[in-house]
Amino acid sequence: MSQSPKPQRPTDPAKAAPSPKPSAPSARSSEPSRRSSEPSPRSSEPSPRSPEAPPPPVPTSADVARLAGVSRATVSYVLNNAAAVRISEPTRRKVREAAEELGYVPHAAARTLRAGHTRIVLLPTSHVPAGPLYSAFLDDLQWALRRLDYTVVQYGSLGLSGDQAARAWAELRPVAVISLGEIVLSARNVATLERAGAKAVITLGPVGVPGAHALVLDQGEVGAAAALHLVERGHRRIGVVVPEEPGLELFSAPRLAGARSVAGAEVEPVPLARTEESAGRLARRWRSLGLDAVYAYNDEYAMLLMRAFQDEGLRIPGDVAVIGADDLLLGRLLRPRLSTVRIQMPTGDYLAALVDRAVREGAEPAERHGLMAASAIPREST
Amino acid sequence: MSQSPKPQRPTDPAKAAPSPKPSAPSARSSEPSRRSSEPSPRSSEPSPRSPEAPPPPVPTSADVARLAGVSRATVSYVLNNAAAVRISEPTRRKVREAAEELGYVPHAAARTLRAGHTRIVLLPTSHVPAGPLYSAFLDDLQWALRRLDYTVVQYGSLGLSGDQAARAWAELRPVAVISLGEIVLSARNVATLERAGAKAVITLGPVGVPGAHALVLDQGEVGAAAALHLVERGHRRIGVVVPEEPGLELFSAPRLAGARSVAGAEVEPVPLARTEESAGRLARRWRSLGLDAVYAYNDEYAMLLMRAFQDEGLRIPGDVAVIGADDLLLGRLLRPRLSTVRIQMPTGDYLAALVDRAVREGAEPAERHGLMAASAIPREST
DNA sequence: TTGAAAGCGATACCAT
DNA sequence: ATGGTATCGCTTTCAA
């Protein structure tokens, strides 16, 4: 076992011939099959795209070096503006021109492998939650992260289990993962990611995840703000819409609980699907429920429900008060104008800074609460 | 040059001592700095996360091999279910258990480098266009691509120029790029990507891109369908909303042109921002415009405008007919119910199959038209 | 100032 | 049935 390495055949036949390269690597590396050491098949023309020519090999830094008449090391120095080494200006220009001419783009995988780490911040996406609130937040976050020189990669994780997802993400060796809460991570998953080099696993959602930096956005506050508002308006018997669509439980359950926590509120869960039919059915049996107000989960469900109530002859807010959440534009367009709960998300800058700190200083995982402020916006529907 | 390799120092000091490992690789590779060849610092415990311990090295296939008592080759065979090689069942189990125990996850970059290509399909995203139509399409596409074993990566490209973006994408060596039209690619950019190994550059949008597989989704059809519908209903003086929000010109201009192309329609462009104020202003000067119908770009703008009209005392469709586009749920909730144009996008399966064919057979770039069907859905607002 | 070369991790040949 | 090992492209040390 512990015998020293026996160089039965010369350690590296290829490297033995530095400059002109031995005629051809013969049938050596047979698998990747492409690649012929000379970038252009022969001529120097830009190759007018012959119909069935094998795809031209991707230029490497070695190609650039050859064209510029320097070593690969020099190419690397120039292209990365290496500060520790001084390269003459003529050489720099030669290198840059060669790179330009070949259309050279460095190979991220090779760099990653060499460096031992990436600057990838991975954002899992499953369903794009389509809300303008969310969109703006996402744009903001990406922007802030790029300013800090991270590469933002959204990884489509639709329909993956937590385990599958964690493995798939880990393969990319992201330096950080920011889970927006669509996929529920277990402590195991967090461990997988950290073993794969992730310096920060941040979850943004209604529940904390053991081992991760959790920004707990307490959805309960949303429900509480809504219920409190209704109670203050003199309502007591409050229906709370619980969407029937799967995947929303993580949000709806805490919102319901938050509403329940409000003193003076008698809360009744009300299942509702995001369809006209479901809303119609609910409206028709509404009077039998004996409720005088409803918190409709969010503005979309609220709109749906308001319409159904109105078609049923119920007056808003006279017969039933309605409040939504998310402060969508459409709420202001409804008549009566929809009261809502506005949710304050952490800014992209804040989150990006958190990532950066964790990456650089290895901040301890912790749960942060109270980052999400929820406040009722009274309009005409309550 | 052709001197045989001179092993000044043993080719690989690490490999020389498989089991106990030579104290440390001294100050050899100083840059990546981490990595100490032994996965666990010493003990076999899962390490109770000592406060300031250096991060444990990421396990590699070599670690798995060592733990399982086999070679790295064997590990690779087992973990990839290599068909060409038969490995005994006990060995397989040993390897799998070792991998499991270490929480081994293969390093995508290393595999990529070795393989010479990736299975990444890159979807640039800049603004998340937030429409449910778009979301559904995206989900669909990701799903279809994953079924074909591609890795879908959305690359946040907010605020990058075409050149910057193309370079950044090319670094990842994606096997295909599907540009959803938010970023406008030039022929140069396409060339950059193809030189970097992309087998297919597909653009999906109102305009074709030279050199790319272009799925031209002719937005003109949407405008035409809307205008035609209005003309058939007896309207002639038709306003066409042109959103003032930046980034929508690529869609709004062809839609406007499409409306203009309809015989019998007298089209007037109408700028409108996605705010209540803008809609209110427009509604107030509406009567002076002498128009009897409006195609409001999409359902959101239509809703905005309908509300403003109604607040202004204009009757719909009596005084002004309104039609939107995208067939959003909210259209059916408005009163009167909003007529709309439903847009038929190519399915994710179709697009995924197109990618796959291009990747495997190197299909020639071509423009495909007529993939987008648009049909008016009459409801009550026209 | 530049070049030679080691080596990051995984894979698939070619031996055994 | 397994193991040794060259290789992918890039960065960076060390030597010249």
Side-chain angles (χ1 to χ4, degrees), chain A residues 25 37 54 90 99 137 162 168 175 184 285 353 370-371:
Chain A
S37 73
F137 169 70
V175 70
V184 187
R285 65 191 187 87
L371 286 166

Side-chain angles (χ1 to χ4, degrees), chain A residues 1-3 5 10-11 16 18 20 31-32 34 49 58-59 102-110 112-116 125-128 130 135 138-139 142-143 146 151-160 167 170-173 192 194-197 274 276 303-304 307 311 329-330 332-333 335, chain B residues 1-3 5 11 16 18 32 34 49 51 58-59 100 102-116 125-128 130 135 138-139 142-143 146 151-160 167 170-173 192 194-197 274 276 303-304 307 311 329-330 332-333 335:
Chain A
M1 241 241 187
S2 52
Q3 56 205 332
T11 318
E31 187 262 326
R34 56 186 200 68
R49 249 193 179 285
V58 180
L102 293 176
Y104 170 72
V105 174
H107 194 309
T112 289
L113 194 53
R114 172 63 223 223
T125 59
S126 43
H127 291 283
V128 185
S135 298
L138 211 59
D139 278 359
Q142 299 206 17
W143 200 227
R146 212 192 355 268
T151 297
V152 178
V153 166
Q154 289 177 253
Y155 192 102
S157 310
L158 188 66
L160 294 182
R167 284 185 64 88
E171 291 195 357
L172 297 183
R173 299 291 190 266
T192 296
E194 286 179 342
R195 259 198 315 259
R274 195 172 155 284
E276 280 188 276
M303 169 178 71
L304 204 55
R307 170 52 56 199
D311 287 351
L329 172 61
L330 69 87
R332 268 163 289 170
L333 300 178
R335 295 299 181 271
Chain B
M1 48 168 205
S2 52
Q3 59 205 335
T11 315
R34 56 184 201 69
R49 250 191 177 288
V58 180
E100 178 70 21
L102 294 176
Y104 169 73
V105 174
H107 193 309
R111 174 180 290 165
T112 289
L113 192 54
R114 172 63 227 224
T125 58
S126 44
H127 291 283
V128 185
S135 298
L138 211 59
D139 279 359
Q142 299 206 17
W143 201 225
R146 210 188 3 264
T151 298
V152 178
V153 165
Q154 290 176 253
Y155 192 102
S157 310
L158 190 65
L160 295 182
R167 283 186 65 88
E171 290 195 356
L172 297 182
R173 298 291 189 269
T192 297
E194 287 180 341
R195 257 197 315 259
R274 195 172 154 286
E276 279 188 278
M303 169 179 72
L304 203 55
R307 171 51 58 200
D311 287 352
L329 172 62
L330 69 88
R332 268 162 289 170
L333 300 177
R335 295 299 181 269

